[in-house]
Amino acid sequence: MSLRKYLTSRVFFGQVFVALAIIAALGYFFMHWLTFTTDHGNEISVPNLSKLTEEQVEEKLDELDLDYVLLDSVDFRSDFPQFSVVEQDPLPGTKVKVGRKIYIKINTAGYSSVRIPDLVNKTYREAVPTLKALGLEEGNITYVPNLGKDMVLEMRYKGRNLKAGDRVLKSSKIDLVLGDGKMSYEEEESAADTLAVPLEEEIPVDEQ
């Protein structure tokens, strides 16, 4: 039989059909095997772990055949209980496979303290970013007569004066006393002389 006749014969088409059937069957069984080995379709929705303690997280994830990894603690956040979950990855509602690890971050026990920087004679624009970089907040702003406009003259916390190096808790509000820039050189010198007069008058005449 010539090749041309063979390619148009029933035998050839029968063999092609059998070959295609075998390939389709192998593909079908392979996909089912792949689905079984990868647990495809057997996924779990990640629960919301926010504000749970580490013990509660472990108990909840054990029930779902999930695991967790404690990455780190974060700076204290007052809207979360102490030692509770602040962040998690994957996020709640994400579909994961059995045994997946959920990464969490825990809230600390309280605010840590920071040292007050030397802001006196700094401008308001310099002082505020410095406070925020340390985790502090801008409090009340008070203006007093002074030659330096918007220059920091004093730092206060809850009514008491602060000096560089004093410690306060993070998120504390630091009040600033600023110059209004309306005092002239002559007025400033006059004010300084006025403050010096009582000191001179206290010296007894007999002792001179």
Side-chain angles (χ1 to χ4, degrees):
M1 180 183 295
S2 64
L3 179 60
R4 184 176 180 180
K5 289 183 178 181
Y6 173 72
L7 294 178
T8 58
S9 66
R10 291 183 177 180
V11 175
F12 173 74
F13 285 110
Q15 291 175 340
V16 171
F17 177 78
V18 172
L20 291 176
I22 293 174
I23 292 174
L26 290 176
Y28 175 81
F29 287 115
F30 175 76
M31 291 303 298
H32 274 265
W33 174 81
L34 188 63
T35 299
F36 175 77
T37 56
T38 58
D39 287 327
H40 182 71
N42 187 23
E43 295 179 327
I44 301 170
S45 181
V46 175
N48 186 3
L49 305 177
S50 179
K51 298 184 179 182
L52 297 183
T53 64
E54 189 173 353
E55 291 77 11
Q56 291 172 325
V57 167
E58 184 175 9
E59 181 179 347
K60 192 165 190 175
L61 294 183
D62 279 346
E63 295 174 355
L64 299 172
D65 290 328
L66 297 175
D67 200 357
Y68 77 96
V69 175
L70 176 59
L71 290 179
D72 198 1
S73 59
V74 300
D75 288 339
F76 181 71
R77 292 179 53 177
S78 58
D79 52 336
F80 284 81
Q82 295 180 356
F83 306 113
S84 68
V85 176
V86 175
E87 299 177 17
Q88 70 176 86
D89 181 34
L91 296 175
T94 304
K95 298 294 185 180
V96 297
K97 297 175 184 177
V98 172
R100 172 67 186 271
K101 292 181 179 179
I102 312 300
Y103 298 91
I104 61 174
K105 291 185 179 180
I106 298 292
N107 200 19
T108 54
Y111 290 115
S112 58
S113 64
V114 294
R115 291 185 182 276
I116 292 292
D118 188 2
L119 301 179
V120 175
N121 295 329
K122 302 288 186 182
T123 65
Y124 172 77
R125 288 188 176 183
E126 293 174 317
V128 172
T130 302
L131 291 175
K132 290 184 177 180
L134 294 172
L136 300 173
E137 299 180 13
E138 173 188 349
N140 296 325
I141 303 299
T142 305
Y143 286 92
V144 297
N146 188 271
L147 182 63
K149 181 174 175 56
D150 291 331
M151 180 178 291
V152 178
L153 304 178
E154 294 180 17
M155 302 175 291
R156 295 174 181 172
Y157 175 64
K158 293 184 177 180
R160 67 181 179 89
N161 287 343
L162 295 174
K163 61 180 183 298
D166 288 347
R167 283 191 170 275
V168 296
L169 296 178
K170 279 189 176 182
S171 294
S172 297
K173 292 186 177 182
I174 307 302
D175 302 328
L176 299 176
V177 178
L178 307 178
D180 60 8
K182 296 180 180 179
M183 179 180 286
S184 65
Y185 282 108
E186 291 78 9
E187 290 174 328
E188 187 174 20
E189 291 177 358
S190 176
D193 292 340
T194 301
L195 292 174
V197 168
L199 295 177
E200 294 178 357
E201 291 178 349
E202 289 179 0
I203 302 176
V205 178
D206 296 339
E207 293 181 5
Q208 293 184 351

